Coordinates of all heavy atoms in Angstrom, one line a residue:
M1 N 10.0 22.0 -11.6 CA 10.2 21.1 -12.7 C 9.6 19.7 -12.4 O 9.8 19.2 -11.3 CB 11.7 20.9 -13.0 CG 12.1 19.9 -14.0 SD 11.7 20.2 -15.7 CE 12.9 21.5 -16.0
T2 N 8.8 19.2 -13.3 CA 8.2 17.9 -13.1 C 9.2 16.8 -13.2 O 10.3 17.0 -13.6 CB 7.1 17.6 -14.2 OG1 7.7 17.7 -15.5 CG2 6.0 18.6 -14.1
V3 N 8.8 15.6 -12.7 CA 9.7 14.5 -12.6 C 8.9 13.3 -13.3 O 7.7 13.1 -13.0 CB 10.0 14.0 -11.2 CG1 11.0 12.8 -11.2 CG2 10.7 15.2 -10.4
I4 N 9.6 12.6 -14.2 CA 9.0 11.5 -14.9 C 9.7 10.2 -14.4 O 10.9 10.2 -14.1 CB 9.2 11.6 -16.5 CG1 8.7 12.9 -17.0 CG2 8.6 10.4 -17.2 CD1 7.3 13.2 -16.8
V5 N 8.9 9.2 -14.2 CA 9.4 7.9 -13.7 C 8.9 6.8 -14.5 O 7.8 6.8 -15.0 CB 9.0 7.7 -12.2 CG1 9.4 6.4 -11.7 CG2 9.5 8.8 -11.3
T6 N 9.8 5.8 -14.8 CA 9.3 4.5 -15.3 C 9.6 3.5 -14.3 O 10.6 3.6 -13.6 CB 10.0 4.1 -16.6 OG1 11.4 4.1 -16.5 CG2 9.6 5.1 -17.7
A7 N 8.7 2.6 -14.1 CA 8.9 1.4 -13.2 C 8.5 0.2 -14.0 O 7.4 0.1 -14.5 CB 8.0 1.6 -12.0
V8 N 9.5 -0.7 -14.2 CA 9.3 -1.9 -14.9 C 9.1 -3.1 -14.0 O 9.9 -3.4 -13.1 CB 10.5 -2.2 -15.9 CG1 10.3 -3.5 -16.7 CG2 10.7 -1.0 -16.8
F9 N 7.9 -3.7 -14.1 CA 7.6 -4.9 -13.3 C 7.7 -6.1 -14.1 O 7.3 -6.2 -15.2 CB 6.1 -4.7 -12.8 CG 5.8 -3.5 -12.0 CD1 5.6 -2.3 -12.6 CD2 5.8 -3.6 -10.6 CE1 5.3 -1.1 -11.8 CE2 5.6 -2.5 -9.8 CZ 5.3 -1.2 -10.4
Y10 N 8.3 -7.1 -13.4 CA 8.6 -8.4 -14.1 C 7.7 -9.5 -13.5 O 8.0 -10.1 -12.5 CB 10.1 -8.8 -13.8 CG 11.1 -7.7 -14.3 CD1 11.5 -6.7 -13.5 CD2 11.5 -7.7 -15.6 CE1 12.3 -5.7 -13.9 CE2 12.4 -6.8 -16.1 CZ 12.8 -5.8 -15.2 OH 13.7 -4.8 -15.7
P11 N 6.6 -9.8 -14.2 CA 5.7 -10.8 -13.7 C 6.3 -12.2 -13.7 O 7.0 -12.5 -14.7 CB 4.5 -10.7 -14.6 CG 4.9 -9.9 -15.8 CD 6.1 -9.2 -15.4
Q12 N 5.9 -13.0 -12.8 CA 6.3 -14.4 -12.8 C 5.5 -15.0 -14.0 O 4.5 -14.5 -14.5 CB 5.8 -15.1 -11.6 CG 6.6 -14.7 -10.3 CD 6.2 -15.5 -9.1 OE1 5.4 -16.4 -9.2 NE2 6.7 -15.1 -8.0
A13 N 6.1 -16.1 -14.6 CA 5.5 -16.8 -15.7 C 4.0 -17.1 -15.5 O 3.7 -17.6 -14.5 CB 6.3 -18.1 -16.0
G14 N 3.2 -16.7 -16.4 CA 1.8 -16.9 -16.4 C 1.0 -16.1 -15.4 O -0.2 -16.3 -15.2
K15 N 1.7 -15.1 -14.8 CA 1.0 -14.3 -13.7 C 0.8 -12.8 -14.2 O 0.4 -12.0 -13.3 CB 1.9 -14.3 -12.5 CG 2.1 -15.6 -11.9 CD 0.8 -16.2 -11.2 CE 1.1 -17.5 -10.5 NZ -0.1 -18.0 -9.9
K16 N 0.9 -12.5 -15.4 CA 0.8 -11.1 -15.8 C -0.6 -10.5 -15.5 O -0.7 -9.4 -15.0 CB 1.1 -10.9 -17.3 CG 1.1 -9.4 -17.7 CD 1.2 -9.2 -19.2 CE 2.5 -9.6 -19.8 NZ 2.6 -9.3 -21.2
Q17 N -1.6 -11.2 -15.9 CA -3.0 -10.7 -15.6 C -3.3 -10.6 -14.1 O -3.9 -9.6 -13.7 CB -4.0 -11.5 -16.3 CG -4.0 -11.4 -17.8 CD -4.2 -9.9 -18.3 OE1 -3.4 -9.1 -18.0 NE2 -5.1 -9.7 -19.1
E18 N -2.8 -11.5 -13.4 CA -2.9 -11.4 -11.9 C -2.2 -10.2 -11.4 O -2.7 -9.5 -10.5 CB -2.4 -12.7 -11.2 CG -3.3 -13.9 -11.2 CD -2.8 -15.0 -10.5 OE1 -2.6 -14.9 -9.2 OE2 -2.4 -16.1 -11.1
L19 N -1.0 -10.0 -11.9 CA -0.2 -8.8 -11.5 C -1.0 -7.5 -11.8 O -1.1 -6.7 -10.9 CB 1.2 -8.8 -12.2 CG 2.0 -7.6 -11.9 CD1 2.4 -7.4 -10.5 CD2 3.3 -7.7 -12.8
V20 N -1.5 -7.4 -13.0 CA -2.3 -6.2 -13.3 C -3.4 -6.0 -12.4 O -3.7 -4.9 -11.9 CB -2.8 -6.3 -14.8 CG1 -3.8 -5.2 -15.1 CG2 -1.6 -6.2 -15.8
Q21 N -4.2 -7.1 -12.1 CA -5.3 -7.0 -11.1 C -4.8 -6.6 -9.7 O -5.4 -5.7 -9.1 CB -6.0 -8.3 -11.1 CG -7.0 -8.5 -12.2 CD -8.0 -7.3 -12.3 OE1 -8.0 -6.6 -13.4 NE2 -8.8 -7.1 -11.4
A22 N -3.7 -7.2 -9.3 CA -3.2 -6.9 -8.0 C -2.7 -5.4 -7.8 O -2.7 -4.9 -6.7 CB -2.1 -7.9 -7.6
M23 N -2.4 -4.8 -8.9 CA -1.9 -3.4 -8.9 C -3.0 -2.4 -8.7 O -2.7 -1.3 -8.3 CB -1.1 -3.1 -10.2 CG 0.2 -4.0 -10.3 SD 1.0 -3.7 -11.9 CE 2.0 -2.3 -11.5
Q24 N -4.2 -2.8 -9.0 CA -5.3 -1.8 -9.1 C -5.5 -1.0 -7.8 O -5.8 0.2 -7.8 CB -6.6 -2.5 -9.5 CG -6.5 -3.1 -10.9 CD -6.0 -2.1 -12.0 OE1 -6.5 -1.0 -12.1 NE2 -4.9 -2.5 -12.7
R25 N -5.5 -1.7 -6.6 CA -5.8 -1.0 -5.3 C -4.7 0.0 -5.0 O -5.0 1.1 -4.7 CB -5.8 -2.1 -4.2 CG -6.3 -1.5 -2.9 CD -6.6 -2.7 -1.9 NE -5.3 -3.3 -1.5 CZ -4.9 -3.3 -0.2 NH1 -5.6 -2.7 0.7 NH2 -3.8 -4.0 0.1
G26 N -3.4 -0.3 -5.3 CA -2.4 0.6 -5.1 C -2.4 1.8 -6.0 O -2.2 2.9 -5.6
I27 N -2.7 1.5 -7.3 CA -2.8 2.6 -8.3 C -3.9 3.6 -7.9 O -3.7 4.8 -7.9 CB -3.1 2.0 -9.7 CG1 -1.8 1.3 -10.2 CG2 -3.5 3.1 -10.6 CD1 -2.0 0.5 -11.4
A28 N -5.1 3.1 -7.5 CA -6.2 4.0 -7.0 C -5.7 4.8 -5.9 O -6.1 6.0 -5.8 CB -7.4 3.1 -6.7
A29 N -5.0 4.3 -4.9 CA -4.5 5.1 -3.8 C -3.5 6.1 -4.2 O -3.5 7.3 -3.8 CB -3.9 4.1 -2.8
V30 N -2.6 5.8 -5.2 CA -1.6 6.7 -5.7 C -2.3 7.9 -6.4 O -1.9 9.1 -6.3 CB -0.6 6.1 -6.6 CG1 0.3 7.1 -7.3 CG2 0.3 5.1 -5.8
H31 N -3.3 7.6 -7.1 CA -4.0 8.7 -7.9 C -4.6 9.7 -7.0 O -4.8 10.9 -7.4 CB -5.2 8.1 -8.7 CG -4.7 7.4 -10.0 ND1 -5.5 6.6 -10.7 CD2 -3.5 7.3 -10.6 CE1 -4.8 6.1 -11.8 NE2 -3.6 6.5 -11.7
E32 N -4.7 9.5 -5.7 CA -5.2 10.4 -4.7 C -4.1 11.3 -4.1 O -4.4 12.2 -3.3 CB -6.0 9.7 -3.6 CG -7.2 9.0 -4.2 CD -8.2 9.9 -4.9 OE1 -8.5 11.0 -4.4 OE2 -8.7 9.5 -5.9
E33 N -2.8 10.9 -4.4 CA -1.7 11.6 -3.7 C -1.5 13.0 -4.3 O -1.6 13.1 -5.5 CB -0.5 10.7 -3.8 CG -0.5 9.5 -3.0 CD 0.8 8.6 -3.1 OE1 1.5 8.7 -4.1 OE2 1.1 8.0 -2.1
P34 N -1.0 13.9 -3.5 CA -0.7 15.2 -4.0 C 0.5 15.1 -5.0 O 1.4 14.4 -4.8 CB -0.2 16.0 -2.8 CG -0.8 15.3 -1.6 CD -0.9 13.8 -2.0
G35 N 0.3 15.8 -6.1 CA 1.4 15.9 -7.1 C 1.4 14.8 -8.1 O 2.2 14.8 -9.1
C36 N 0.5 13.8 -8.0 CA 0.4 12.8 -9.0 C -0.3 13.3 -10.2 O -1.5 13.5 -10.2 CB -0.3 11.5 -8.4 SG -0.4 10.2 -9.6
E37 N 0.4 13.5 -11.3 CA -0.2 13.9 -12.6 C -0.5 12.8 -13.5 O -1.4 12.8 -14.3 CB 0.7 14.9 -13.3 CG 0.9 16.2 -12.4 CD 1.7 17.2 -13.2 OE1 1.8 17.3 -14.4 OE2 2.4 18.0 -12.5
L38 N 0.3 11.7 -13.4 CA 0.1 10.5 -14.3 C 0.7 9.3 -13.5 O 1.8 9.4 -12.9 CB 0.9 10.7 -15.6 CG 0.9 9.6 -16.6 CD1 -0.5 9.4 -17.1 CD2 1.9 9.8 -17.7
Y39 N 0.0 8.2 -13.5 CA 0.4 7.0 -12.9 C -0.3 5.9 -13.6 O -1.4 5.5 -13.3 CB 0.1 7.0 -11.4 CG 0.9 6.1 -10.5 CD1 2.1 6.4 -10.1 CD2 0.3 4.9 -10.1 CE1 2.8 5.5 -9.3 CE2 1.0 4.0 -9.3 CZ 2.3 4.3 -8.9 OH 2.9 3.5 -8.0
S40 N 0.3 5.4 -14.7 CA -0.5 4.5 -15.6 C 0.4 3.3 -16.0 O 1.6 3.5 -16.2 CB -1.0 5.2 -16.9 OG 0.1 5.7 -17.6
I41 N -0.2 2.1 -16.1 CA 0.5 0.9 -16.5 C 0.3 0.5 -17.9 O -0.8 0.8 -18.5 CB 0.2 -0.3 -15.5 CG1 -1.2 -0.6 -15.5 CG2 0.8 0.0 -14.2 CD1 -1.6 -1.8 -14.7
H42 N 1.3 -0.1 -18.5 CA 1.3 -0.5 -19.9 C 1.8 -1.9 -20.1 O 2.8 -2.3 -19.4 CB 2.1 0.5 -20.8 CG 1.6 1.9 -20.5 ND1 0.6 2.5 -21.2 CD2 2.0 2.8 -19.6 CE1 0.4 3.7 -20.8 NE2 1.3 3.9 -19.8
D43 N 1.3 -2.6 -21.0 CA 1.7 -4.0 -21.4 C 2.8 -3.8 -22.4 O 2.6 -3.5 -23.5 CB 0.5 -4.8 -21.9 CG 0.8 -6.2 -22.1 OD1 2.0 -6.7 -21.8 OD2 -0.1 -7.0 -22.6
A44 N 4.1 -4.1 -22.0 CA 5.2 -4.0 -22.9 C 5.4 -5.3 -23.7 O 5.1 -6.4 -23.2 CB 6.5 -3.7 -22.0
E45 N 5.9 -5.1 -24.9 CA 6.1 -6.3 -25.7 C 7.1 -7.3 -25.2 O 7.1 -8.4 -25.7 CB 6.4 -5.9 -27.2 CG 7.7 -5.1 -27.3 CD 7.9 -4.7 -28.8 OE1 6.9 -4.5 -29.5 OE2 9.1 -4.4 -29.1
D46 N 7.9 -6.9 -24.3 CA 8.9 -7.9 -23.7 C 8.3 -8.7 -22.6 O 9.1 -9.5 -21.9 CB 10.2 -7.2 -23.3 CG 10.0 -6.2 -22.1 OD1 8.8 -6.0 -21.7 OD2 11.0 -5.6 -21.7
G47 N 7.0 -8.6 -22.3 CA 6.4 -9.4 -21.3 C 6.3 -8.7 -19.9 O 5.8 -9.2 -19.0
T48 N 6.9 -7.5 -19.8 CA 6.9 -6.8 -18.5 C 5.6 -5.9 -18.5 O 5.0 -5.7 -19.5 CB 8.1 -5.9 -18.4 OG1 8.2 -5.0 -19.4 CG2 9.4 -6.8 -18.3
I49 N 5.4 -5.3 -17.4 CA 4.4 -4.3 -17.2 C 5.2 -3.0 -16.9 O 6.0 -3.0 -15.9 CB 3.4 -4.6 -16.1 CG1 2.6 -5.8 -16.4 CG2 2.5 -3.4 -15.8 CD1 1.7 -5.8 -17.6
T50 N 5.0 -2.0 -17.7 CA 5.8 -0.7 -17.4 C 4.8 0.4 -17.0 O 3.8 0.6 -17.6 CB 6.5 -0.3 -18.7 OG1 7.4 -1.3 -19.1 CG2 7.2 1.0 -18.5
M51 N 5.2 1.0 -15.9 CA 4.4 2.1 -15.3 C 5.1 3.4 -15.7 O 6.3 3.5 -15.7 CB 4.3 2.0 -13.8 CG 3.5 3.2 -13.2 SD 3.3 2.9 -11.4 CE 2.2 1.5 -11.4
I52 N 4.3 4.3 -16.2 CA 4.8 5.7 -16.5 C 4.2 6.6 -15.5 O 3.0 6.6 -15.4 CB 4.5 6.1 -18.0 CG1 5.2 5.1 -18.9 CG2 5.0 7.5 -18.2 CD1 4.8 5.2 -20.4
E53 N 5.0 7.4 -14.9 CA 4.6 8.3 -13.8 C 5.0 9.7 -14.2 O 6.1 10.0 -14.8 CB 5.2 8.0 -12.5 CG 5.0 6.5 -12.1 CD 5.7 6.2 -10.8 OE1 5.8 7.1 -9.9 OE2 6.1 5.0 -10.6
K54 N 4.2 10.7 -13.7 CA 4.6 12.1 -13.8 C 4.2 12.8 -12.5 O 3.0 12.7 -12.0 CB 3.9 12.8 -15.0 CG 4.3 14.3 -15.1 CD 3.6 14.9 -16.3 CE 4.0 16.4 -16.5 NZ 3.4 17.0 -17.6
W55 N 5.2 13.4 -11.9 CA 5.0 14.1 -10.6 C 5.3 15.6 -10.7 O 6.2 16.0 -11.4 CB 5.9 13.4 -9.5 CG 5.5 12.0 -9.3 CD1 5.9 10.9 -9.9 CD2 4.5 11.6 -8.4 NE1 5.2 9.8 -9.5 CE2 4.3 10.2 -8.5 CE3 3.6 12.2 -7.5 CZ2 3.4 9.4 -7.8 CZ3 2.8 11.5 -6.7 CH2 2.7 10.1 -6.9
T56 N 4.5 16.4 -10.0 CA 4.7 17.8 -10.1 C 6.0 18.3 -9.6 O 6.6 19.1 -10.2 CB 3.5 18.5 -9.3 OG1 2.3 18.0 -9.8 CG2 3.6 20.0 -9.4
T57 N 6.5 17.7 -8.5 CA 7.8 18.1 -7.9 C 8.5 16.8 -7.4 O 7.9 15.8 -7.2 CB 7.6 19.0 -6.7 OG1 7.0 18.3 -5.6 CG2 6.8 20.3 -7.1
V58 N 9.8 17.0 -7.2 CA 10.6 15.9 -6.6 C 10.1 15.6 -5.2 O 10.1 14.5 -4.8 CB 12.1 16.3 -6.6 CG1 13.0 15.4 -5.8 CG2 12.7 16.4 -8.0
Q59 N 9.7 16.6 -4.5 CA 9.2 16.4 -3.1 C 7.9 15.5 -3.1 O 7.8 14.7 -2.3 CB 8.9 17.7 -2.4 CG 10.1 18.5 -1.9 CD 10.4 19.7 -2.8 OE1 9.8 19.9 -3.9 NE2 11.3 20.5 -2.3
D60 N 7.1 15.8 -4.1 CA 5.9 15.0 -4.2 C 6.2 13.5 -4.5 O 5.7 12.6 -3.9 CB 5.0 15.5 -5.4 CG 4.3 16.8 -5.1 OD1 4.1 17.1 -3.9 OD2 4.0 17.5 -6.1
L61 N 7.2 13.3 -5.4 CA 7.7 11.9 -5.7 C 8.3 11.3 -4.5 O 8.0 10.1 -4.2 CB 8.6 12.0 -6.9 CG 9.2 10.6 -7.2 CD1 8.2 9.6 -7.6 CD2 10.2 10.8 -8.4
D62 N 9.1 12.0 -3.8 CA 9.8 11.5 -2.6 C 8.7 11.1 -1.5 O 8.9 10.0 -0.9 CB 10.8 12.5 -2.0 CG 12.0 12.6 -2.9 OD1 12.3 11.8 -3.7 OD2 12.8 13.6 -2.7
T63 N 7.7 11.9 -1.3 CA 6.7 11.6 -0.4 C 5.9 10.4 -0.8 O 5.6 9.5 0.0 CB 5.7 12.8 -0.2 OG1 6.5 14.0 0.2 CG2 4.6 12.5 0.7
H64 N 5.6 10.3 -2.1 CA 5.0 9.1 -2.6 C 5.8 7.9 -2.3 O 5.3 6.9 -1.9 CB 4.8 9.3 -4.1 CG 4.7 8.0 -4.9 ND1 3.5 7.3 -4.9 CD2 5.5 7.4 -5.7 CE1 3.7 6.2 -5.7 NE2 4.9 6.3 -6.2
G65 N 7.1 7.9 -2.6 CA 8.0 6.8 -2.4 C 8.0 6.2 -1.0 O 8.2 5.0 -0.8
A66 N 7.8 7.1 0.0 CA 7.8 6.7 1.4 C 6.4 6.5 1.9 O 6.2 6.3 3.1 CB 8.5 7.8 2.2
G67 N 5.4 6.6 1.0 CA 4.0 6.6 1.5 C 3.3 5.3 1.6 O 3.8 4.2 1.1
E68 N 2.1 5.3 2.1 CA 1.3 4.2 2.3 C 0.9 3.5 1.0 O 0.8 2.3 0.9 CB 0.0 4.6 3.1 CG -0.9 3.4 3.5 CD -2.1 3.9 4.3 OE1 -2.0 4.9 5.0 OE2 -3.1 3.1 4.2
A69 N 0.6 4.3 0.0 CA 0.1 3.7 -1.3 C 1.2 2.8 -1.9 O 0.8 1.7 -2.4 CB -0.3 4.8 -2.2
V70 N 2.4 3.2 -1.8 CA 3.5 2.3 -2.4 C 3.6 1.0 -1.5 O 3.8 -0.1 -2.1 CB 4.8 3.1 -2.4 CG1 6.0 2.1 -2.7 CG2 4.8 4.2 -3.4
G71 N 3.4 1.1 -0.2 CA 3.4 -0.1 0.6 C 2.2 -1.0 0.2 O 2.4 -2.2 0.2
I72 N 1.1 -0.4 -0.1 CA -0.1 -1.2 -0.5 C 0.3 -2.0 -1.8 O 0.1 -3.2 -2.0 CB -1.3 -0.4 -0.7 CG1 -1.8 0.1 0.7 CG2 -2.4 -1.1 -1.4 CD1 -2.9 1.2 0.6
L73 N 0.8 -1.2 -2.8 CA 1.1 -1.7 -4.1 C 2.2 -2.9 -4.0 O 2.0 -4.0 -4.5 CB 1.6 -0.6 -5.0 CG 2.0 -1.1 -6.4 CD1 0.8 -1.6 -7.2 CD2 2.7 0.0 -7.2
N74 N 3.2 -2.6 -3.3 CA 4.3 -3.6 -3.1 C 3.8 -4.8 -2.4 O 4.2 -5.9 -2.8 CB 5.5 -3.0 -2.4 CG 6.3 -2.0 -3.3 OD1 6.2 -2.0 -4.5 ND2 7.0 -1.1 -2.6
G75 N 3.0 -4.7 -1.4 CA 2.5 -5.8 -0.7 C 1.6 -6.7 -1.5 O 1.6 -7.9 -1.5
D76 N 0.7 -6.0 -2.3 CA -0.2 -6.7 -3.2 C 0.5 -7.5 -4.3 O -0.1 -8.5 -4.8 CB -1.2 -5.7 -3.8 CG -2.2 -5.2 -2.7 OD1 -2.3 -5.8 -1.6 OD2 -3.0 -4.3 -3.1
I77 N 1.6 -7.0 -4.7 CA 2.3 -7.7 -5.9 C 3.5 -8.6 -5.5 O 4.0 -9.3 -6.4 CB 2.7 -6.7 -7.0 CG1 3.9 -5.8 -6.4 CG2 1.5 -5.8 -7.4 CD1 4.5 -4.9 -7.5
A78 N 3.9 -8.6 -4.3 CA 5.1 -9.3 -3.9 C 5.2 -10.7 -4.4 O 6.3 -11.1 -4.8 CB 5.3 -9.2 -2.4
E79 N 4.2 -11.4 -4.3 CA 4.2 -12.9 -4.7 C 4.0 -13.1 -6.2 O 4.0 -14.2 -6.7 CB 3.1 -13.6 -4.0 CG 3.3 -13.5 -2.4 CD 4.6 -14.1 -1.9 OE1 5.1 -15.1 -2.4 OE2 5.2 -13.4 -1.0
L80 N 3.9 -12.0 -7.0 CA 3.6 -12.1 -8.4 C 4.7 -11.6 -9.3 O 4.6 -11.8 -10.5 CB 2.3 -11.3 -8.7 CG 1.0 -11.8 -8.0 CD1 -0.1 -10.8 -8.2 CD2 0.6 -13.2 -8.5
I81 N 5.8 -11.1 -8.7 CA 6.9 -10.6 -9.5 C 8.1 -11.5 -9.3 O 8.3 -12.1 -8.3 CB 7.3 -9.2 -9.3 CG1 7.6 -8.9 -7.8 CG2 6.1 -8.3 -9.7 CD1 8.1 -7.5 -7.5
E82 N 8.9 -11.7 -10.4 CA 10.0 -12.6 -10.3 C 11.3 -11.9 -9.9 O 12.3 -12.6 -9.5 CB 10.2 -13.3 -11.6 CG 10.7 -12.5 -12.8 CD 10.9 -13.3 -14.1 OE1 10.2 -14.3 -14.2 OE2 11.7 -12.9 -14.8
K83 N 11.4 -10.6 -10.0 CA 12.6 -9.9 -9.5 C 12.2 -8.5 -9.2 O 11.1 -8.0 -9.6 CB 13.7 -9.9 -10.6 CG 13.4 -9.3 -11.9 CD 14.6 -9.5 -12.8 CE 14.4 -8.8 -14.2 NZ 15.6 -9.0 -15.0
P84 N 13.1 -7.7 -8.5 CA 12.7 -6.4 -8.1 C 12.4 -5.5 -9.3 O 12.9 -5.6 -10.4 CB 14.0 -5.9 -7.4 CG 14.7 -7.1 -7.0 CD 14.4 -8.1 -8.0
T85 N 11.5 -4.6 -9.0 CA 11.0 -3.6 -10.0 C 12.2 -2.6 -10.3 O 12.9 -2.2 -9.4 CB 9.8 -2.8 -9.5 OG1 8.8 -3.8 -9.2 CG2 9.3 -1.8 -10.5
L86 N 12.4 -2.3 -11.6 CA 13.4 -1.4 -12.0 C 12.8 0.0 -12.2 O 11.9 0.2 -13.0 CB 14.0 -1.8 -13.4 CG 15.0 -0.8 -14.0 CD1 16.2 -0.7 -13.1 CD2 15.4 -1.3 -15.4
V87 N 13.2 0.9 -11.3 CA 12.6 2.3 -11.2 C 13.7 3.3 -11.7 O 14.8 3.2 -11.3 CB 12.2 2.6 -9.8 CG1 11.6 4.1 -9.8 CG2 11.1 1.6 -9.3
T88 N 13.2 4.1 -12.7 CA 14.2 5.1 -13.2 C 13.5 6.5 -13.2 O 12.4 6.7 -13.7 CB 14.5 4.8 -14.7 OG1 15.0 3.5 -14.8 CG2 15.5 5.8 -15.3
R89 N 14.2 7.4 -12.5 CA 13.7 8.8 -12.5 C 14.3 9.6 -13.7 O 15.5 9.4 -14.0 CB 14.2 9.5 -11.2 CG 13.5 9.1 -10.0 CD 13.9 10.0 -8.8 NE 13.3 9.5 -7.6 CZ 13.0 10.3 -6.6 NH1 13.4 11.6 -6.6 NH2 12.4 9.9 -5.5
M90 N 13.5 10.5 -14.3 CA 14.0 11.3 -15.4 C 13.5 12.7 -15.3 O 12.5 13.0 -14.7 CB 13.4 10.7 -16.7 CG 13.9 9.3 -17.0 SD 13.1 8.5 -18.4 CE 11.6 7.9 -17.5
T91 N 14.3 13.6 -15.8 CA 14.0 15.0 -15.9 C 13.7 15.3 -17.3 O 14.4 15.0 -18.2 CB 15.2 15.9 -15.4 OG1 15.6 15.5 -14.1 CG2 14.9 17.3 -15.5
P92 N 12.5 15.9 -17.6 CA 12.1 16.3 -19.0 C 13.1 17.2 -19.6 O 13.7 18.1 -19.0 CB 10.8 17.0 -18.8 CG 10.3 16.5 -17.5 CD 11.5 16.3 -16.6
L93 N 13.3 16.9 -20.9 CA 14.1 17.8 -21.8 C 13.2 18.3 -22.9 O 13.2 17.7 -24.0 CB 15.3 17.1 -22.4 CG 16.3 16.5 -21.3 CD1 17.4 15.6 -22.0 CD2 17.0 17.7 -20.6
P94 N 12.3 19.2 -22.6 CA 11.3 19.6 -23.6 C 11.9 20.0 -24.9 O 12.9 20.7 -25.0 CB 10.6 20.8 -22.9 CG 10.8 20.6 -21.5 CD 12.2 20.0 -21.4
S95 N 11.3 19.6 -26.0 CA 11.7 20.0 -27.3 C 10.5 19.9 -28.3 O 9.5 19.2 -28.0 CB 12.8 19.0 -27.8 OG 12.4 17.7 -27.8
G96 N 10.6 20.7 -29.4 CA 9.5 20.7 -30.3 C 8.3 21.5 -29.7 O 8.5 22.5 -28.9
T97 N 7.1 21.1 -30.0 CA 5.9 21.8 -29.5 C 5.7 21.6 -28.0 O 6.1 20.5 -27.5 CB 4.7 21.5 -30.2 OG1 4.3 20.1 -29.9 CG2 4.8 21.6 -31.7
E98 N 5.1 22.5 -27.3 CA 4.8 22.3 -25.9 C 3.9 21.1 -25.6 O 4.1 20.3 -24.7 CB 4.1 23.6 -25.3 CG 3.9 23.5 -23.8 CD 3.2 24.8 -23.3 OE1 3.4 25.9 -23.9 OE2 2.6 24.7 -22.2
A99 N 2.9 20.9 -26.5 CA 2.0 19.8 -26.3 C 2.6 18.4 -26.7 O 2.3 17.4 -26.1 CB 0.8 20.0 -27.2
Q100 N 3.6 18.4 -27.6 CA 4.2 17.1 -28.0 C 5.6 16.8 -27.5 O 6.0 15.7 -27.6 CB 4.2 17.0 -29.5 CG 2.8 17.1 -30.1 CD 2.8 17.3 -31.6 OE1 3.4 18.2 -32.1 NE2 2.2 16.4 -32.3
G101 N 6.2 17.8 -27.0 CA 7.6 17.7 -26.7 C 8.0 17.3 -25.3 O 9.1 17.3 -24.9
A102 N 7.0 17.1 -24.4 CA 7.2 16.7 -23.0 C 5.9 16.0 -22.5 O 4.8 16.3 -23.0 CB 7.5 17.9 -22.2
I103 N 6.2 15.1 -21.6 CA 5.0 14.4 -21.0 C 4.5 15.3 -19.9 O 5.2 15.9 -19.1 CB 5.5 13.1 -20.3 CG1 5.9 12.1 -21.4 CG2 4.4 12.5 -19.5 CD1 6.4 10.8 -20.9

């Protein structure tokens, strides 16, 4: 069963674009990790940056969480966020069509 994750990043005032730029090196590293099906950031209307992730297995996600790429990402953004990132793991509840009912 795949695992979906959201990670909400809270940029310091006036630092959103710097945060987005600082995330690029870590994102590129994560895209090379086994089991990474989706790892993309989005500009949320509340001023945060929200990452949506999809992992093939819980083990892949756990390995990612303890891996070097997360360390790179966290180090690169540490001075640009105002509070800790809110990370939420979710299990898909497919409904409707296969193409539209699950990420």
